[in-house]
Amino acid sequence: MSKLTVTYIGGPTALLEYAGLRIVTDPTFDAPQLYPDEGGVPLTKTAGPALSRADVGAVDLVLLSHHEHQDNLDYEGLELLATGVLTISTMKAGSDLFGGGVVGLDSWESREVGAVTVTAVPALHGPPGSEARLGPVTGFVLQAEGEGEPTIYVSGDNASLPLVQQIADRFPDISIAVLFAGAARISAINGPLTLTSADAAEAARIVGASHVVGLHTEGWEHFTETRADLEAAFAETGLLVETPPGVAVEVSR
């Protein structure tokens, strides 16, 4: 049976082992600290990673939903990108983080990485109108060659269910959803910047996932819903995979 192996590291960061690739999502490996955000909204990290960047070891690919906020790309994350590892992100990230291995894709564009096709899919970081302040963000769909390989949706910092519906319409065979939840909020924006727990459950229903990996629910002060909230939202579905920090968990298709 084909599978995905997930090691939850902290916040939005996980190691995905899939079709021969070691993939890191939104790399955040710093110790707890205060980040005086250039946009005027400071962010406070309250917990360090379950694994250090060195502990993770070799990485084949980074999926970076966006590069402008430290809760998705911190100082240690930048050090990882500086090694030249192939990084797929927004077009703006491809422009701003020039050099190294950063590749920007528009929505619905694809890149072949080994046996995996990575497609950038639309995402909205907050309610409509938030783009001007928060910048562009992307999600990803992963498809691998070979019969029985699962199709995986990685939401990134998306808060829009209509966009999830667009993704489901294009990729009706998604079986595993890696969802960034936590209902992140800042005072400057009236609305959650990532999926609420209830919206995460609805997103899983929309894409027809048989397994859900929940990220982005702990480790930062501006996350307003916890892992317990996410578990409660999925309690009747049996879809949510238990991912203890630092432990490799196999997710069957």
Side-chain angles (χ1 to χ4, degrees):
M1 180 180 290
S2 299
K3 62 181 182 297
L4 165 74
T5 298
V6 177
T7 305
Y8 170 57
I9 295 170
T13 309
L15 172 65
L16 312 180
E17 296 175 81
Y18 171 64
L21 295 182
R22 291 169 57 81
I23 304 168
V24 168
T25 62
D26 285 17
T28 56
F29 292 98
D30 287 355
Q33 60 189 280
L34 171 67
Y35 299 90
D37 186 80
E38 293 180 2
V41 179
L43 300 177
T44 300
K45 187 174 188 179
T46 59
L51 298 175
S52 70
R53 182 164 61 90
D55 290 335
V56 170
V59 175
D60 300 303
L61 173 65
V62 172
L63 299 179
L64 178 62
S65 69
H66 62 301
H67 68 295
E68 297 177 287
H69 305 134
Q70 289 93 347
D71 60 321
N72 297 90
L73 179 65
D74 62 13
Y75 303 132
E76 280 286 328
L78 283 167
E79 289 293 326
L80 174 59
L81 267 56
T83 67
V85 61
L86 175 62
T87 300
I88 298 179
S89 189
T90 64
M91 291 295 289
K92 190 172 190 302
S95 175
D96 291 350
L97 302 175
F98 61 92
V102 182
V103 174
L105 297 181
D106 278 324
S107 292
W108 312 121
E109 284 191 320
S110 298
R111 171 76 179 248
E112 305 294 326
V113 186
V116 177
T117 299
V118 181
T119 302
V121 295
L124 178 61
H125 196 8
S130 302
E131 303 97 319
R133 183 179 185 94
L134 299 177
V137 65
T138 188
F140 307 92
V141 169
L142 309 180
Q143 297 169 294
E145 298 174 1
E147 184 177 355
E149 292 288 357
T151 296
I152 302 169
Y153 168 50
V154 180
S155 73
D157 272 11
N158 175 54
S160 170
L161 291 177
L163 291 182
V164 173
Q165 184 63 63
Q166 289 185 29
I167 294 160
D169 291 343
R170 293 233 188 180
F171 297 94
D173 58 343
I174 291 170
S175 58
I176 299 174
V178 180
L179 301 178
F180 290 27
R185 293 179 184 269
I186 59 173
S187 60
I189 301 290
N190 183 23
L193 310 184
T194 55
L195 295 169
T196 66
S197 298
D199 282 350
E202 179 62 10
R205 186 198 66 78
I206 290 170
V207 301
S210 57
H211 296 83
V212 173
V213 174
L215 303 180
H216 204 276
T217 61
E218 54 197 353
W220 294 82
E221 281 190 356
H222 64 296
F223 295 177
T224 65
E225 294 186 7
T226 65
R227 175 74 186 191
D229 294 320
L230 189 66
E231 291 172 349
F234 279 91
E236 301 302 318
T237 70
L239 299 179
L240 189 65
V241 177
E242 185 176 351
T243 51
V247 177
V249 176
E250 291 188 356
V251 183
S252 298
R253 183 174 185 271

